[in-house]
Amino acid sequence: TKPAMRVAVTGAAGQIGYSLLFRIASGEMLGKDQPVILQLLEIPDEKAQKALKGVIMEVEDCAFPLLQEITAHSDPMTAFKDIDVALLVGARPRGPGMERKDLLSANAQIFTAQGKALNAVAKRTVKVLVVGNPANTNAYIAMKSAPDLPKENFTAMLRLDHNRGLSQLATKAGVAVADIKTFTVWGNHSPTMYADYRFATVGGKSLKDMINDQDWNANVFLPTVGKRGAAIIDARGLSSAASAANAAIDHIRDWVLGTNGEWVTMGIPSDGSYGIPEGTMFGFPVTCADGKYTIVQGLPIDEFSQACINKTLAELEEEKAGVAHLL
Ligand code: NAX
């Protein structure tokens, strides 16, 4: 059998954690032949630690054959020791009517401390996915706080936006989700993201031509995907959890195990591609192989798309400026 991989999950007693841990332990993220060790972080608060113990009891009660060990932590310096994968979920979640900007400073502190801890004790090859919002900027802060780790190790979750877009497109065009190829979402995980199906195909045919409705794109599709998080909060009284956990599993699985040439969307530090300033944590179309992601190059950006990309980039630059004094 393979040596176990160590996976840290922060905010493990929260609602996304409750949908995530069981699927990691059952092998859905790293493979059905890959043993795992779970190192779970929660805030030191007595209630949170007690809730975490309860979740661990339930994971234990599943008797997952691949789960070698599961531990509870209140300090990132022990939770992140020797880890291969970090899922940074724990953050201050957005409630009804709350603005993203309010979350920025509260979360900056968390991700500075966690970036430093990753820098000090994680494996040098650690793959980090930030889920906690504002995800792109939190990932940027963690990356900046971990100067000894390769910056490519830090990513933000755009996969939920990607999956939301796929589902809307499949319904509109009357095709199967699995048959849609080469779709992507550019930019920030926020309502400004630009879900882009100009290159998407179904069975080799252009999905854009099949839909052939620019009004639907601009006035229905983009707002529906962009505001989906708010629509879920409105309907459920709670933010997306199971779908977010599912997207996190997809993101890490594809990064570790590869995409066989297919496109997925990841929030990654820009290398300057498509005029996005280097280091900006931005959603790009990527393919994954051998544990590495590569940006899909050479896509034409038309006027409408450039305006959308500029808008989401401007928002990210503003968030970055808002935390600059902390880095
Ligand atoms: P919950 O409030 O249910 O759980 C968060 C948990 O994190 C709590 O148990 C809390 O004690 C813990 N926590 C807070 N600070 C921590 C710290 N410094 N270290 C360790 N644990 C800490 O929120 P949940 O619904 O699970 O959402 C978690 C985060 O995901 C939120 O920031 C939310 O906004 C974000 N989301 C991101 C999405 C994305 O696509 N990137 C989509 C879903 C979700 O909204």
Side-chain angles (χ1 to χ4, degrees):
T1 56
K2 295 179 170 179
M5 286 176 76
R6 292 181 180 272
V7 179
V9 179
T10 73
Q15 47 152 11
I16 293 176
Y18 196 73
S19 290
L20 190 57
L21 301 177
F22 300 86
R23 295 185 61 190
I24 298 172
S26 75
E28 286 181 64
M29 185 171 82
L30 296 170
K32 295 284 182 186
D33 61 345
Q34 177 59 62
V36 290
I37 293 171
L38 283 171
Q39 303 183 177
L40 309 179
L41 181 69
E42 262 295 344
I43 51 175
D45 170 74
E46 203 178 310
K47 253 180 85 185
Q49 287 293 323
K50 191 175 173 198
L52 180 58
K53 295 273 173 354
V55 178
I56 290 177
M57 285 159 69
E58 281 206 74
V59 175
E60 287 171 347
D61 291 350
C62 296
F64 289 115
L66 290 171
L67 184 64
Q68 284 193 355
E69 195 185 334
I70 181 166
T71 51
H73 301 261
S74 57
D75 179 354
M77 289 293 280
T78 62
F80 296 165
K81 183 94 183 106
D82 296 331
I83 54 170
D84 299 283
V85 175
L87 294 165
L88 306 186
V89 178
R92 174 93 190 277
R94 180 171 47 157
M98 198 171 168
E99 279 299 315
R100 289 175 63 82
K101 286 196 187 74
D102 306 334
L103 294 179
L104 260 178
S105 51
N107 283 305
Q109 257 106 40
I110 296 177
F111 288 87
T112 308
Q114 293 187 0
K116 285 181 181 159
L118 287 165
N119 194 55
V121 298
K123 269 199 191 142
R124 301 299 89 177
T125 53
V126 64
K127 288 179 163 57
V128 181
L129 170 62
V130 176
V131 175
N133 278 321
N136 297 52
T137 295
N138 288 342
Y140 174 80
I141 293 167
M143 176 183 81
K144 285 288 178 192
S145 307
D148 302 328
L149 292 172
K151 63 183 189 323
E152 296 77 21
N153 296 20
F154 289 84
T155 67
M157 193 163 90
L158 268 289
R159 187 59 175 263
L160 182 54
D161 310 273
H162 179 100
N163 289 347
R164 284 167 171 166
L166 278 180
S167 171
Q168 295 295 324
L169 290 168
T171 303
K172 172 73 175 173
V175 301
V177 166
D179 292 338
I180 301 177
K181 309 294 174 198
T182 57
F183 165 68
T184 196
V185 180
W186 304 88
N188 198 6
H189 167 68
S190 95
T192 66
M193 57 87 238
Y194 174 43
D196 183 0
Y197 63 91
R198 290 176 302 140
F199 314 107
T201 59
V202 175
K205 286 202 290 266
S206 161
L207 182 66
K208 184 169 175 250
D209 291 349
M210 286 168 73
I211 292 174
N212 193 21
D213 189 346
Q214 178 58 22
D215 272 358
W216 180 80
N217 180 38
N219 300 320
V220 180
F221 177 67
L222 288 173
T224 300
V225 178
K227 293 179 190 154
R228 189 69 163 183
I232 304 263
I233 291 176
D234 183 53
R236 240 168 60 85
L238 290 167
S239 54
S240 328
S243 55
N246 179 70
I249 299 258
D250 283 352
H251 178 116
I252 295 290
R253 184 201 58 222
D254 287 346
W255 190 2
V256 172
L257 299 175
T259 63
N260 289 316
E262 296 207 1
W263 298 15
V264 292
T265 301
M266 291 171 70
I268 58 175
S270 176
D271 62 358
S273 295
Y274 297 101
I276 306 306
E278 207 177 325
T280 301
M281 201 58 72
F282 203 81
F284 282 104
V286 300
T287 56
C288 301
D290 305 319
K292 291 193 162 60
Y293 55 79
T294 307
I295 299 176
V296 177
Q297 294 293 342
L299 301 171
I301 305 297
D302 60 20
E303 208 177 311
F304 177 83
S305 302
Q306 191 63 58
C308 293
I309 286 172
N310 290 349
K311 186 177 169 200
T312 193
L313 176 60
E315 183 185 54
L316 270 173
E317 302 274 45
E318 199 184 305
E319 288 183 15
K320 205 167 29 167
V323 297
H325 62 289
L326 298 164
L327 300 178

